[in-house]
Amino acid sequence: MLSNLRKRRSIRKYLSMPVPQHVIEQFAETLLRSPSSRNIQPWQFIFVQNPKTINELSRAKAHGSSFLAGAPLCVVILADTEGCDVWIEDCAISAILLQMQVESMPGMGSCWIQIRLREDPDGRSSEDVVREILNIPEHLRVASMIAIGYADEALLPISADELPVGKIHAERFSV
Ligand SMILES: Cc1cc2nc3c(=O)[nH]c(=O)nc-3n(C[C@H](O)[C@H](O)[C@H](O)COP(=O)(O)O)c2cc1C
Protein backbone atom coordinates (compact mmCIF):
# COMPACT_ATOMS: atom_id res chain seq x y z
CA MET A 1 0.00 0.00 0.00
CA LEU A 2 2.65 2.54 1.02
CA SER A 3 4.80 1.80 -2.03
CA ASN A 4 1.76 2.52 -4.24
CA LEU A 5 1.01 5.70 -2.28
CA ARG A 6 4.60 6.87 -2.71
CA LYS A 7 4.24 6.87 -6.49
CA ARG A 8 0.55 7.85 -6.73
CA ARG A 9 -0.31 11.03 -8.63
CA SER A 10 -3.52 12.19 -10.27
CA ILE A 11 -3.33 11.16 -13.93
CA ARG A 12 -5.29 13.22 -16.45
CA LYS A 13 -3.85 11.98 -19.76
CA TYR A 14 -4.67 8.50 -20.99
CA LEU A 15 -3.72 6.17 -23.81
CA SER A 16 -6.62 5.21 -26.07
CA MET A 17 -6.28 1.58 -24.89
CA PRO A 18 -9.52 0.28 -23.33
CA VAL A 19 -9.58 -1.13 -19.81
CA PRO A 20 -9.89 -4.96 -20.02
CA GLN A 21 -13.09 -6.53 -18.75
CA HIS A 22 -11.34 -8.56 -16.03
CA VAL A 23 -9.80 -5.36 -14.67
CA ILE A 24 -13.19 -3.67 -14.69
CA GLU A 25 -14.53 -6.60 -12.67
CA GLN A 26 -11.75 -6.10 -10.11
CA PHE A 27 -12.71 -2.43 -9.84
CA ALA A 28 -16.34 -3.41 -9.29
CA GLU A 29 -15.34 -5.85 -6.55
CA THR A 30 -13.16 -3.21 -4.90
CA LEU A 31 -16.09 -0.79 -4.79
CA LEU A 32 -18.48 -3.37 -3.39
CA ARG A 33 -15.97 -4.22 -0.63
CA SER A 34 -15.82 -0.60 0.57
CA PRO A 35 -16.64 -0.19 4.24
CA SER A 36 -19.62 2.04 5.00
CA SER A 37 -21.12 3.45 8.15
CA ARG A 38 -23.51 0.96 9.77
CA ASN A 39 -22.90 -1.10 6.63
CA ILE A 40 -25.73 0.79 4.94
CA GLN A 41 -23.85 0.73 1.61
CA PRO A 42 -25.68 3.81 0.30
CA TRP A 43 -23.63 3.95 -2.89
CA GLN A 44 -24.36 2.97 -6.48
CA PHE A 45 -21.73 2.97 -9.24
CA ILE A 46 -22.07 3.54 -12.97
CA PHE A 47 -19.24 2.28 -15.20
CA VAL A 48 -19.21 4.35 -18.39
CA GLN A 49 -17.07 3.34 -21.38
CA ASN A 50 -19.07 4.76 -24.27
CA PRO A 51 -16.80 7.54 -25.65
CA LYS A 52 -19.78 9.72 -26.58
CA THR A 53 -21.20 9.54 -23.06
CA ILE A 54 -17.76 10.14 -21.52
CA ASN A 55 -17.40 13.19 -23.74
CA GLU A 56 -20.73 14.55 -22.51
CA LEU A 57 -19.73 13.91 -18.89
CA SER A 58 -16.48 15.80 -19.44
CA ARG A 59 -18.55 18.99 -19.79
CA ALA A 60 -20.27 18.58 -16.42
CA LYS A 61 -18.04 21.13 -14.72
CA ALA A 62 -16.79 24.61 -15.53
CA HIS A 63 -13.29 23.60 -14.42
CA GLY A 64 -11.47 20.34 -13.84
CA SER A 65 -13.43 17.83 -15.88
CA SER A 66 -12.54 18.44 -19.53
CA PHE A 67 -9.65 15.92 -19.43
CA LEU A 68 -12.23 13.17 -18.87
CA ALA A 69 -12.95 13.29 -22.61
CA GLY A 70 -9.73 11.33 -23.20
CA ALA A 71 -10.40 8.61 -20.63
CA PRO A 72 -11.53 5.11 -21.65
CA LEU A 73 -13.40 4.56 -18.38
CA CYS A 74 -15.35 6.75 -16.00
CA VAL A 75 -16.85 5.45 -12.76
CA VAL A 76 -19.66 7.66 -11.47
CA ILE A 77 -20.29 7.42 -7.73
CA LEU A 78 -23.86 7.95 -6.52
CA ALA A 79 -25.60 7.65 -3.19
CA ASP A 80 -29.06 7.07 -1.85
CA THR A 81 -29.07 9.52 1.06
CA GLU A 82 -32.33 8.23 2.56
CA GLY A 83 -31.50 7.05 6.09
CA CYS A 84 -27.80 7.65 5.62
CA ASP A 85 -26.32 10.79 7.18
CA VAL A 86 -22.71 10.03 6.22
CA TRP A 87 -23.09 9.15 2.54
CA ILE A 88 -20.42 11.70 1.62
CA GLU A 89 -17.87 9.82 3.72
CA ASP A 90 -19.07 6.46 2.40
CA CYS A 91 -18.74 7.64 -1.20
CA ALA A 92 -15.33 9.19 -0.57
CA ILE A 93 -14.04 5.93 0.91
CA SER A 94 -15.21 3.94 -2.12
CA ALA A 95 -13.64 6.52 -4.44
CA ILE A 96 -10.19 6.40 -2.86
CA LEU A 97 -10.24 2.60 -2.58
CA LEU A 98 -11.00 2.47 -6.30
CA GLN A 99 -8.16 4.92 -6.99
CA MET A 100 -5.73 2.80 -4.97
CA GLN A 101 -6.84 -0.35 -6.80
CA VAL A 102 -6.20 1.48 -10.08
CA GLU A 103 -2.79 2.48 -8.73
CA SER A 104 -1.93 -1.16 -8.10
CA MET A 105 -2.50 -2.02 -11.78
CA PRO A 106 0.70 -1.61 -13.85
CA GLY A 107 0.56 1.44 -16.11
CA MET A 108 -2.83 2.65 -14.96
CA GLY A 109 -3.79 5.96 -13.40
CA SER A 110 -6.88 7.85 -12.29
CA CYS A 111 -8.16 11.22 -11.24
CA TRP A 112 -11.06 12.23 -9.00
CA ILE A 113 -13.57 14.65 -10.50
CA GLN A 114 -15.66 16.44 -7.89
CA ILE A 115 -19.34 16.69 -8.86
CA ARG A 116 -21.23 17.46 -5.66
CA LEU A 117 -21.31 21.26 -5.04
CA ARG A 118 -19.89 22.04 -8.48
CA GLU A 119 -21.39 23.76 -11.57
CA ASP A 120 -21.05 23.54 -15.32
CA PRO A 121 -19.95 26.53 -17.49
CA ASP A 122 -23.59 27.78 -17.59
CA GLY A 123 -23.95 27.76 -13.81
CA ARG A 124 -26.03 24.59 -13.81
CA SER A 125 -25.50 22.10 -11.02
CA SER A 126 -22.95 19.50 -12.14
CA GLU A 127 -25.04 16.89 -10.36
CA ASP A 128 -28.06 17.76 -12.52
CA VAL A 129 -25.95 17.63 -15.68
CA VAL A 130 -24.65 14.15 -14.83
CA ARG A 131 -28.10 13.04 -13.69
CA GLU A 132 -29.60 13.99 -17.04
CA ILE A 133 -26.85 12.38 -19.14
CA LEU A 134 -27.02 9.07 -17.23
CA ASN A 135 -30.75 8.94 -16.43
CA ILE A 136 -30.09 8.96 -12.68
CA PRO A 137 -33.25 9.15 -10.55
CA GLU A 138 -33.86 12.28 -8.45
CA HIS A 139 -33.51 10.48 -5.11
CA LEU A 140 -29.84 9.67 -5.79
CA ARG A 141 -27.06 12.20 -5.23
CA VAL A 142 -24.01 12.31 -7.50
CA ALA A 143 -20.85 12.55 -5.43
CA SER A 144 -17.96 12.26 -7.85
CA MET A 145 -16.59 10.63 -10.98
CA ILE A 146 -13.28 8.79 -11.25
CA ALA A 147 -11.51 8.98 -14.61
CA ILE A 148 -9.44 5.86 -15.24
CA GLY A 149 -7.11 4.64 -17.94
CA TYR A 150 -3.58 3.68 -18.95
CA ALA A 151 -1.38 6.68 -18.16
CA ASP A 152 -0.08 8.82 -20.99
CA GLU A 153 1.85 11.08 -18.65
CA ALA A 154 4.47 10.41 -16.00
CA LEU A 155 4.33 12.76 -13.04
CA LEU A 156 7.12 12.93 -10.50
CA PRO A 157 6.26 11.23 -7.23
CA ILE A 158 6.01 13.50 -4.19
CA SER A 159 9.30 13.07 -2.34
CA ALA A 160 9.43 12.40 1.40
CA ASP A 161 10.91 15.84 2.11
CA GLU A 162 7.91 17.53 0.45
CA LEU A 163 5.44 15.98 2.91
CA PRO A 164 3.75 18.44 5.33
CA VAL A 165 5.13 16.67 8.38
CA GLY A 166 4.00 19.53 10.66
CA LYS A 167 0.45 18.25 10.25
CA ILE A 168 1.28 15.19 12.33
CA HIS A 169 0.98 15.73 16.09
CA ALA A 170 1.88 13.50 19.00
CA GLU A 171 -0.48 13.09 21.95
CA ARG A 172 -1.95 16.65 21.68
CA PHE A 173 -2.07 19.48 19.17
CA SER A 174 1.20 21.36 18.89
CA VAL A 175 2.14 24.41 16.81
C1 LIG B 1 -12.10 15.44 -3.11
C2 LIG B 1 -11.24 15.65 -4.33
C3 LIG B 1 -11.75 16.33 -5.41
C4 LIG B 1 -10.98 16.50 -6.56
N1 LIG B 1 -11.55 17.09 -7.65
C5 LIG B 1 -10.83 17.19 -8.78
C6 LIG B 1 -11.44 17.70 -9.96
O1 LIG B 1 -12.63 18.01 -10.00
N2 LIG B 1 -10.67 17.81 -11.08
C7 LIG B 1 -9.35 17.45 -11.09
O2 LIG B 1 -8.71 17.57 -12.13
N3 LIG B 1 -8.74 16.94 -9.98
C8 LIG B 1 -9.46 16.80 -8.84
N4 LIG B 1 -8.88 16.24 -7.74
C9 LIG B 1 -7.46 15.83 -7.76
C10 LIG B 1 -6.61 16.81 -6.95
O3 LIG B 1 -6.50 18.03 -7.66
C11 LIG B 1 -5.24 16.18 -6.68
O4 LIG B 1 -5.41 15.01 -5.92
C12 LIG B 1 -4.32 17.13 -5.91
O5 LIG B 1 -4.02 18.28 -6.69
C13 LIG B 1 -3.00 16.47 -5.52
O6 LIG B 1 -2.34 15.98 -6.67
P1 LIG B 1 -1.93 14.43 -6.76
O7 LIG B 1 -3.21 13.63 -6.65
O8 LIG B 1 -1.24 14.27 -8.07
O9 LIG B 1 -1.04 14.13 -5.58
C14 LIG B 1 -9.64 16.03 -6.59
C15 LIG B 1 -9.13 15.34 -5.50
C16 LIG B 1 -9.92 15.13 -4.40
C17 LIG B 1 -9.36 14.33 -3.24
Side-chain angles (χ1 to χ4, degrees), residues 8-10 12 61 63-64 67 111-114 155 158:
R8 188 212 58 80
R9 295 298 311 276
S10 292
R12 299 180 179 86
K61 282 177 52 151
H63 306 285
F67 68 90
C111 187
W112 184 311
I113 299 172
Q114 182 68 22
L155 302 184
I158 309 295

Side-chain angles (χ1 to χ4, degrees), residues 37-89:
S37 172
R38 293 180 282 156
N39 203 23
I40 286 176
Q41 305 182 340
W43 17 251
Q44 305 260 350
F45 308 103
I46 305 180
F47 281 65
V48 182
Q49 296 182 83
N50 183 313
K52 187 172 165 288
T53 313
I54 287 182
N55 195 44
E56 286 172 20
L57 291 172
S58 77
R59 296 195 287 265
K61 282 177 52 151
H63 306 285
S65 63
S66 58
F67 68 90
L68 175 64
L73 173 64
C74 174
V75 177
V76 183
I77 301 183
L78 320 170
D80 186 343
T81 64
E82 182 70 34
C84 181
D85 54 352
V86 293
W87 61 274
I88 297 170
E89 289 87 340

Side-chain angles (χ1 to χ4, degrees), residues 1-164:
M1 174 80 169
L2 191 52
S3 59
N4 281 334
L5 274 174
R6 283 181 178 137
K7 63 182 178 62
R8 188 212 58 80
R9 295 298 311 276
S10 292
I11 295 299
R12 299 180 179 86
K13 289 186 182 153
Y14 312 94
L15 301 173
S16 57
M17 217 162 33
V19 179
Q21 185 57 29
H22 75 276
V23 174
I24 288 184
E25 283 162 18
Q26 289 174 12
F27 293 160
E29 181 177 348
T30 300
L31 289 165
L32 297 176
R33 290 189 183 281
S34 302
S36 65
S37 172
R38 293 180 282 156
N39 203 23
I40 286 176
Q41 305 182 340
W43 17 251
Q44 305 260 350
F45 308 103
I46 305 180
F47 281 65
V48 182
Q49 296 182 83
N50 183 313
K52 187 172 165 288
T53 313
I54 287 182
N55 195 44
E56 286 172 20
L57 291 172
S58 77
R59 296 195 287 265
K61 282 177 52 151
H63 306 285
S65 63
S66 58
F67 68 90
L68 175 64
L73 173 64
C74 174
V75 177
V76 183
I77 301 183
L78 320 170
D80 186 343
T81 64
E82 182 70 34
C84 181
D85 54 352
V86 293
W87 61 274
I88 297 170
E89 289 87 340
D90 291 340
C91 286
I93 286 167
S94 66
I96 192 63
L97 281 180
L98 173 62
Q99 287 199 278
M100 291 311 296
Q101 179 61 24
V102 172
E103 200 58 45
S104 75
M105 310 298 297
M108 296 195 82
S110 72
C111 187
W112 184 311
I113 299 172
Q114 182 68 22
I115 293 299
R116 190 183 63 88
L117 303 179
R118 296 292 181 263
E119 293 181 346
D120 81 353
D122 301 324
R124 208 173 151 216
S125 145
S126 297
E127 279 197 67
D128 287 346
V129 175
V130 173
R131 188 174 282 120
E132 189 176 302
I133 296 168
L134 300 178
N135 195 31
I136 297 165
E138 279 294 327
H139 72 281
L140 298 180
R141 296 290 307 267
V142 186
S144 62
M145 309 192 291
I146 307 297
I148 299 172
Y150 289 93
D152 195 21
E153 63 178 340
L155 302 184
L156 281 180
I158 309 295
S159 64
D161 55 11
E162 290 175 88
L163 298 179

